[in-house]
Amino acid sequence: MSGKMVHASAPGRVNLIGEHIDYNGGMVLPAALSIGLEVDLTPRDDRSITVAANAYDTVANRGLDQAASEHWSDPAVGAVQRAHALKLIDGGADIAIRSTIPQGSGLSSSAALIVAILKAARASHGSDISNTQIAVEARRVENEYMGVPCGIMDQMAVSLATPGTAMALNTTSLDHSLVALPKDHAIVVVHSGLTRKLTDGRYGALKGECDTAKAHFGTDDLCALNPDDIATSDLADPFRKRALHCATEHRRVLDAIDALKSGDIAALGAAMNQSHVSMRDDFEMSLPAIDALVADAVALGADGARLTGGGFGGCIVAVVAKDRHDAWLNQLLGRHTGARFIGAV
Ligand code: GLA
C-alpha cells in the first residue's frame, strides 16, 4: 500500500555576493535561478525508499535506516529520513526527480532536492511547517546526514527566494528582505567546466580554519570584527586571512545591497570584483582557470564578476549590460572553450 502522490519544486540559486560567511555571522545575497527541479513523492507504508532521476539510468533502492554512502541519491534519502523524523510521512517513499540544475556547479542542486522533498512531504501531510523551518531542517540533512558542514544560505534561498529578485539574508537571525535586480543589466551565470563536491573535504577545511579564528578572537561572528584589527592581529596565517575575508566580504555585501537599491551598477560591480580578489587571495578558494574566466569576463565588458558558491570549481557570476550581453558571452565562451552558459537572472 502507498499514499497519494504529491508534487513540489525548488529552483537552483546563484549567490551574487557574500561567500563562506553564512556560517560566520554575515549577510548574503543569493537569487533564485530559472533552472530548478521537480519532485514527485509517493509515501510508502514500508521503510523502503526508491529514487529515480532524469540524470541517472538506474533507480536507487535505499532504505529509511541507511547511512549516507557517497551515492547520488544520498540527499533524497536524508530528506526522506528527516521528513519521517518530523512525522510528515509514516514510512519510506518513492521519489521521482526531474532536474535542470547541473550537479557540482555551486548552484545548490543538493539543497534544492532536499527542500523540494521536504515541501512535498509537507504537502502530503497537510502540515503548516514554514518555508524557513523547511530550510533549517534541510540544512540539518546536509550537516548531520551528509556530513557537509554548510551554512544556511542555500536552503533559505531555494526555499524562499522569489524569481527575479535577490534575497538579502541575515544568516544569524534569518531575517530577510527582497531586493530588486537591475533592469538594464543581466546577472549572468557561466559554468567554468570544473566541478567540485562539498563533501571532498576542502569546504570543511576552510570552515575549520574559520573556527580557529573564532576561538582566537573569542567570537562566533567573524563578520562583526573590524578588518583593521584582524589585519594587524597576531593570529597566524591562513587563519588571519580567512577572518579578514569574512569581515571584508560582509561589508561588501552591505555595499552591494546599497548599490542595487540605488541602481549604482558601477558600485555593485566593484564590490563583486573585490569579492573575487578576497576569495582568491584571502580565502584561497579559487583556481587559476576560474581567475582567468573572471578576469576575461571583466576585460570583455562585464561591470563586475566573481566566483560564486563553495569554491574550487563551479560557476562565476557576472553583471553585464543587457544590450552588450550576447556579444560579451560569445567572446567569453570563445576564449574559454570548457566554459558554458547556465542562465541569467
Ligand atoms: C556552499 C554552502 C553554503 C555557503 C557557500 C559559500 O554553497 O552550502 O552554505 O557556505 O558554499 O558561500
Side-chain angles (χ1 to χ4, degrees):
M1 280 255 308
S2 59
K4 195 164 149 271
M5 186 173 88
V6 281
H7 177 81
S9 62
R13 70 98 187 87
V14 59
N15 189 23
L16 268 54
I17 191 163
E19 229 62 79
H20 280 269
I21 55 173
D22 61 340
Y23 53 86
N24 288 308
M27 291 285 296
V28 293
L29 194 59
L33 292 169
S34 57
I35 55 174
L37 58 77
E38 311 274 328
V39 161
D40 292 328
L41 178 150
T42 311
R44 295 176 63 111
D45 294 336
D46 62 13
R47 298 178 77 79
S48 299
I49 300 171
T50 68
V51 193
N54 62 318
Y56 297 93
D57 291 337
T58 53
V59 174
N61 287 299
R62 307 286 302 268
L64 254 189
D65 307 303
Q66 280 180 7
S69 58
E70 295 277 320
H71 192 263
W72 62 264
S73 61
D74 282 351
V77 177
V80 174
Q81 275 191 10
R82 198 73 229 126
H84 185 258
L86 292 166
K87 302 197 186 321
L88 298 178
I89 49 177
D90 298 328
D94 295 323
I95 308 277
I97 305 159
R98 287 175 307 282
S99 177
T100 51
I101 312 172
Q103 293 179 2
S105 311
L107 302 176
S108 295
S109 57
S110 151
L113 177 55
I114 296 166
V115 162
I117 289 176
L118 289 174
K119 286 189 172 180
R122 172 178 68 184
S124 98
H125 183 266
S127 150
D128 59 0
I129 179 172
S130 70
N131 287 339
T132 299
Q133 283 172 284
I134 292 257
V136 170
E137 296 295 341
R139 181 189 181 189
R140 285 186 65 182
V141 174
E142 300 265 12
N143 292 169
E144 295 169 19
Y145 183 77
M146 311 268 298
V148 176
C150 65
I152 190 69
M153 168 173 73
D154 302 350
Q155 294 76 16
M156 283 293 286
V158 304
S159 188
L160 287 124
T162 309
T165 54
M167 175 196 247
L169 170 67
N170 177 321
T171 58
T172 305
S173 65
L174 302 190
D175 286 345
H176 49 91
S177 59
L178 298 180
V179 185
L181 292 171
K183 283 196 185 56
D184 300 330
H185 289 74
I187 307 290
V188 188
V189 183
V190 175
H191 198 298
S192 65
L194 306 166
T195 55
R196 49 101 225 178
K197 274 173 131 182
L198 292 187
T199 46
D200 72 6
R202 282 181 287 187
Y203 186 96
L206 286 168
K207 180 165 186 296
E209 289 159 4
C210 291
D211 288 342
T212 301
K214 287 180 187 180
H216 176 88
F217 291 111
T219 179
D220 257 353
D221 191 352
L222 293 178
C223 292
L225 296 173
N226 181 324
D228 293 336
D229 294 343
I230 300 172
T232 55
S233 76
D234 57 5
L235 177 61
D237 283 336
F239 313 107
R240 188 189 62 95
K241 291 204 290 185
R242 305 298 184 255
L244 197 54
H245 165 77
C246 294
T248 57
E249 183 78 348
H250 174 68
R251 284 155 180 78
R252 286 186 289 271
V253 176
L254 300 180
D255 289 347
I257 293 169
D258 285 348
L260 274 177
K261 286 183 176 163
S262 60
D264 187 345
I265 300 299
L268 173 67
M272 291 171 73
N273 293 339
Q274 288 157 15
S275 168
H276 186 79
V277 169
S278 180
M279 290 190 290
R280 183 191 69 197
D281 297 347
D282 286 340
F283 219 68
E284 297 178 282
M285 57 184 276
S286 189
L287 296 172
I290 291 183
D291 298 337
L293 188 60
V294 164
D296 278 340
V298 174
L300 292 169
D303 294 279
R306 56 185 290 282
L307 167 63
T308 183
F312 308 107
C315 294
I316 69 160
V317 57
V319 58
V320 189
K322 284 184 177 162
D323 58 9
R324 228 184 290 161
H325 170 270
D326 290 356
W328 171 84
L329 187 62
N330 279 338
Q331 285 179 294
L332 185 67
L333 297 184
R335 279 193 200 177
H336 296 266
T337 48
R340 63 182 195 277
F341 175 62
I342 292 286
V345 225

